[in-house]
Amino acid sequence: MSDSHGTARSQTDVVIQGIKDMLTRGDLQPGSRLPIEKDLAALLGVSRGSLREGVRALATLGVLETRQGDGTYVTALDPAALLSPLGFLADLQQPAHAADLLAVRRVLEAESVSLAATRITDDQLDALEAILTRIDRTLEDEDEVDLEEFINTDTEFHRAIAAASGNPPLAALVDALVGRTFRARLWRAISHRGSLRETQREHRAILDELVRRDPGRASIRMSTHLLGVEEFSAAHADEDPEAG
């Protein structure tokens, strides 16, 4: 029983590798329609069942899409779609490992803001200012800050900077690592210690350097901003972030 299962699995791997090779060689392009099932199975030397398994796996990864009654196509191979499973990694992180993930984010975002400083448009700067103005409004209520709104706008700020880097794979990595569940847990913990206004001051400092179009200083500001969150996470790794 286990042998046949292993064989089926290896056949599926043959399909995945075969289609990957066809993409690498240029036999298939983004938007290409795959050969009909019978022909492709014969080409790859696998059963039609194994072919379907491999196609399903690649569809889950965002490489292929099956259109009802119209065959299977290669997707646009958009970096954001292909890297989106990284979001699971972020959302499933345990508090004890959160600082490791934040360190990766810090490296990526220091680079993305540096690139953005040289490429950002006036419209994109205006959009960032609008985001921070919304955060300012969120923080006006001393007694009860809307944490949900703070998390959403903070996420938007980081994603907008990454998009302004002009590097789609880098932006997609940042986008995937700004995990919704992960961030909600972390910011809930931080908000209990009254650090949201300090965070907003750091946002303003980052935007100032983008307005000046200074990549070096923008990178330092972003690194410092995320290092603070990273150090907080490491120091409180053994705490329950949901606790009051």
Side-chain angles (χ1 to χ4, degrees), residues 37-48:
E37 191 178 83
K38 178 168 65 74
D39 292 348
L40 186 55
L43 179 67
L44 298 175
V46 297
S47 70
R48 289 168 79 165

Side-chain angles (χ1 to χ4, degrees), residues 108-117 119-120 124-125 128 131-132 154-167 170-171 174 202-203 206-207 210 218 222 225:
L108 293 174
E109 292 206 53
E111 179 62 21
S112 74
V113 78
S114 176
L115 288 171
R119 299 173 178 180
I120 198 163
Q124 287 171 321
L125 285 170
L128 286 172
I131 291 168
L132 294 191
D154 175 75
T155 300
E156 210 178 315
F157 179 72
H158 285 271
R159 283 180 166 157
I161 289 172
S165 74
N167 183 321
L170 178 58
V174 171
E202 291 170 1
H203 287 156
I206 292 166
L207 182 54
L210 287 171
M222 180 66 82
H225 171 57

Side-chain angles (χ1 to χ4, degrees), residues 8 12 18 42 67 81 84 88 103 114 131 145 182 191 196 210 225 233:
T12 304
R67 301 176 192 168
S84 65
F88 283 108
S114 176
I131 291 168
V145 172
F182 170 65
S191 70
L196 298 185
L210 287 171
H225 171 57
S233 180

Side-chain angles (χ1 to χ4, degrees), residues 209-222:
E209 301 306 343
L210 287 171
V211 169
R212 292 190 189 99
R213 304 187 188 274
D214 188 324
R217 289 175 64 90
S219 180
I220 290 167
R221 291 289 189 188
M222 180 66 82

Side-chain angles (χ1 to χ4, degrees), residues 161-187:
I161 289 172
S165 74
N167 183 321
L170 178 58
L173 282 166
V174 171
D175 196 57
L177 289 176
V178 182
R180 185 71 190 75
T181 306
F182 170 65
R183 290 173 66 70
R185 288 203 312 261
L186 186 64
W187 282 116

Side-chain angles (χ1 to χ4, degrees), residues 64-155:
L64 301 177
E65 60 178 339
T66 301
R67 301 176 192 168
Q68 199 61 40
D70 189 29
T72 300
Y73 289 79
V74 179
T75 66
L77 301 180
D78 174 57
L82 294 178
L83 290 168
S84 65
L86 275 177
F88 283 108
L89 171 68
D91 285 344
L92 296 175
Q93 281 298 294
Q94 298 304 306
H97 304 296
D100 294 338
L101 195 63
L102 285 164
V104 174
R105 261 196 64 201
R106 176 166 50 84
V107 172
L108 293 174
E109 292 206 53
E111 179 62 21
S112 74
V113 78
S114 176
L115 288 171
T118 65
R119 299 173 178 180
I120 198 163
T121 66
D122 289 342
D123 285 346
Q124 287 171 321
L125 285 170
D126 289 344
L128 286 172
E129 175 58 44
I131 291 168
L132 294 191
T133 299
R134 278 164 50 207
I135 295 180
D136 284 336
R137 283 200 296 269
T138 301
L139 295 174
E140 277 171 7
D141 187 345
E142 292 283 343
D143 300 322
E144 194 169 340
V145 172
D146 184 343
L147 189 59
E148 195 72 17
E149 178 62 16
F150 181 91
I151 293 166
N152 289 338
T153 43
D154 175 75
T155 300

